[in-house]
């Protein structure tokens, strides 16, 4: 296979991931040990996030004319990419936790639902709770007033029942 054909396969792979991704996080992960990298990859994979190192030139070709084109200025030096498909913040959250624990991972940039963010923006997005956590908080806030209302109605019904019995 000619070199150009090999490169086209890689560019097509990146394009396919981008077409499905709700977010892409770009980090510099130099300095990770093999054990640290393996554990990080495992936690990302379990969360449904693809995590892979690509050459910047291949990514440049893949992002051209897409809403991920904002990453182009950040494509310098070693770059590792985390593609999140379902929950846009899950990849950033896992990488942020790993960055705090390991001290060698640095955010470079990212695109979340079509908007490009720099390293600081991605750190802020990483602090957003996952979709499941937000939904459970929302449901909890609905449940509390309803259960209070149900208790009041039950007490009124019991009081009315006692009054009727007298």
């Amino acid at each position: 296979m000619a070199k150009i054909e090999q490169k086209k396969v890689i560019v097509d792979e990146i394009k396919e991931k981008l077409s499905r991704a709700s977010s892409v996080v770009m980090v510099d992960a130099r300095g990770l040990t093999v054990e640290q990298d393996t554990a990080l990859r495992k936690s990302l994979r379990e969360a449904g996030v693809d995590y892979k190192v690509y050459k910047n030139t291949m990514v440049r070709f893949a992002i051209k004319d897409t809403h991920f084109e904002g990453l182009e200025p950040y494509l310098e030096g070693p770059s590792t990419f985390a593609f999140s498909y379902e929950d846009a913040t899950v990849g950033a959250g896992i990488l942020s936790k790993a960055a705090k624990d390991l001290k060698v991972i640095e955010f470079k940039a990212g695109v979340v639902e079509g908007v490009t963010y720099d390293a600081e923006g991605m750190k802020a997005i990483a602090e957003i709770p996952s979709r499941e956590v937000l939904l459970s908080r929302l449901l909890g806030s609905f449940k509390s007033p309803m259960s209070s209302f149900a208790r009041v109605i039950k007490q009124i019904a019991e009081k009315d029942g006692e009054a009727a019995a007298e």
Side-chain angles (χ1 to χ4, degrees), residues 113-132:
E113 296 180 349
V115 180
T116 304
Y117 297 93
D118 64 2
E120 292 305 311
M122 288 310 300
K123 288 177 187 174
I125 286 174
E127 299 303 315
I128 297 172
S130 71
R131 185 174 189 271
E132 288 76 25

Side-chain angles (χ1 to χ4, degrees), residues 7 9 17 21-22 56 65 71 73 75 77-78 83 87 92 101-102 107 113-114 135 137-138 149 158 166:
K7 290 178 180 178
V9 169
K17 289 178 189 248
S22 60
N56 291 332
D65 300 324
L71 292 176
L75 291 170
F83 301 87
D87 186 345
D101 295 343
L102 304 174
F107 281 95
E113 296 180 349
L135 285 173
R137 287 181 185 172
L138 178 66
F149 179 70
E158 288 172 355
E166 291 177 1

Side-chain angles (χ1 to χ4, degrees), residues 6-146:
Q6 290 174 331
K7 290 178 180 178
K8 184 175 179 349
V9 169
I10 294 168
V11 170
D12 288 343
E13 175 185 317
I14 299 168
K15 282 183 177 181
E16 187 274 326
K17 289 178 189 248
L18 290 172
S19 71
R20 296 183 298 125
S22 60
S23 72
V24 175
V25 181
M26 208 172 129
V27 295
D28 181 348
R30 286 181 289 185
L32 286 178
T33 66
V34 173
E35 293 83 18
Q36 292 168 334
D37 188 56
T38 302
L40 177 60
R41 287 177 186 275
K42 182 178 186 273
S43 63
L44 287 164
R45 188 175 42 256
E46 288 171 352
V49 177
D50 284 342
Y51 180 74
K52 193 159 182 182
V53 176
Y54 287 111
K55 289 190 173 200
N56 291 332
T57 53
M58 300 295 109
V59 175
R60 271 191 189 90
F61 286 120
I63 64 175
K64 189 172 168 80
D65 300 324
T66 69
H67 63 272
F68 294 98
E69 205 165 21
L71 292 176
E72 204 278 328
Y74 303 98
L75 291 170
E76 293 194 16
S79 302
T80 308
F81 300 86
F83 301 87
S84 298
Y85 303 107
E86 308 259 330
D87 186 345
T89 63
V90 72
I94 293 170
L95 288 167
S96 177
K97 183 180 182 309
K100 288 175 187 168
D101 295 343
L102 304 174
K103 308 284 189 244
V104 292
I105 296 173
E106 292 179 25
F107 281 95
K108 292 174 91 174
V111 175
V112 178
E113 296 180 349
V115 180
T116 304
Y117 297 93
D118 64 2
E120 292 305 311
M122 288 310 300
K123 288 177 187 174
I125 286 174
E127 299 303 315
I128 297 172
S130 71
R131 185 174 189 271
E132 288 76 25
V133 170
L134 290 173
L135 285 173
S136 67
R137 287 181 185 172
L138 178 66
L139 291 175
S141 68
F142 287 155
K143 183 181 175 189
S144 179
M146 283 191 233

